[in-house]
Amino acid sequence: MSQIYDRVALIGLGLIASSMYWAIKRAGLANEVTGFARSTATRETARRIGLCDRVCDTAQEAVQGADLVVLCVPVGAMAAVAKDIAPVLKPGATVSDVGSVKRHVIKSVAPHIPEGVHFIPAHPLAGTEHSGPESGFAELFDNRWSLLVPVDGSDPDAIARLRAFWEGLGSNVDEMDADHHDLVLAVTSHAPHLIAYTMVGVADDLRRVTDSEVIKYSAAGFRDFTRIAASDPTMWRDVFLTNKDATLEILGRFTEELFALQRAIRTGDGEQLFDYFTRTRAIRRGIIDAGQDTDAPDFGRGKAS
Ligand code: NAP
């Protein structure tokens, strides 16, 4: 793989940005990568572990002269960062992001993007429950989907370049409209996270089952929930605050199905339960066949998720 941008700036140096940096280096996608994080502690860690060719003390310094700027901060923080860097963006540069919600990012970031700068939102569908500058690894995006969500009038050449960049990071790339993205992600990621948070919260509330029993006898189902429910609280708070409509729509449907299954259990309708579980088993098979997970029995406890 060869160089796609001369200079790339990563704003926010957590799991996603650090994984991007190691993957950029692995494939030689940029000549220089600058980075910025708001806290001194994160900037110091980044310098200590060699994360970024140059760690800057301000976001403005990091983006100066950059051909690609990627906002890697929580969704709720994107607008303030965009406003801050806007005056110093290089004409012809591309600004992108990795936020888990797209309509809100477009609404809050696009107004700050100056004329002559391309804005192409994106979202890599890859992550783990870990966060911070030391949690990244070069393979995070390998064989995972990354979605580009171009806004009206996005420049085709700039889109093609960003696509090549994400392919260079190891991803398969698709384009999607923002509203559709937010609905798909509400089904595949946002609602499941809320359900996991709830299930772990219920176990925590159930005083008749002690904490040590929850830990000691933790069966695979619950263990997977605890892994998901360990995800970063700031990131997930922002996801639910900014993908409100789609998440509420899916949770409404979820509640209806849950009540139907609850009723089947109460009335002893084994046929309904069996049919339902047969249908859902086929979905799992489809995910494995699509290469998005393995059949290994310890699924979910490896590095990539
Ligand atoms: P992370 O590991 O928690 O890192 C977040 C970074 O953003 C840190 O450098 C943090 O700075 C900075 N930050 C936090 N709040 C900020 C604020 N108010 N203003 C400026 N900077 C702020 O997060 P991440 O997992 O890399 O997630 C980054 C983005 O990727 C989010 O938008 C998330 O939705 C998206 N995403 C995450 C995943 C996932 O599974 N984790 C997957 C796909 C996309 P300090 O370290 O200095 O506090």
Side-chain angles (χ1 to χ4, degrees), residues 24 41 59-60 81 101-102 110 133 145 153 162 168 180 185-186 220 259 279 301:
I24 290 170
Q60 288 202 351
V81 173
V101 176
K102 295 279 58 104
W145 285 98
L162 190 63
H180 192 63
L185 267 290
F259 279 149
R279 181 155 67 89
R301 284 175 292 285

Side-chain angles (χ1 to χ4, degrees), residues 141-179:
F141 310 111
D142 286 351
N143 200 31
R144 300 284 162 189
W145 285 98
S146 288
L147 301 175
L148 302 187
V149 184
V151 295
D152 281 349
S154 290
D155 177 56
D157 290 344
I159 297 173
R161 211 166 160 199
L162 190 63
R163 172 185 276 270
F165 175 75
W166 275 104
E167 285 171 352
L169 294 174
S171 283
N172 306 315
V173 180
D174 252 348
E175 283 181 36
M176 204 180 265
D177 154 80
D179 292 328

Side-chain angles (χ1 to χ4, degrees), residues 186-200:
V187 177
T188 57
S189 171
H190 305 168
H193 270 80
L194 198 76
I195 292 160
Y197 280 124
T198 314
M199 195 56 229
V200 175

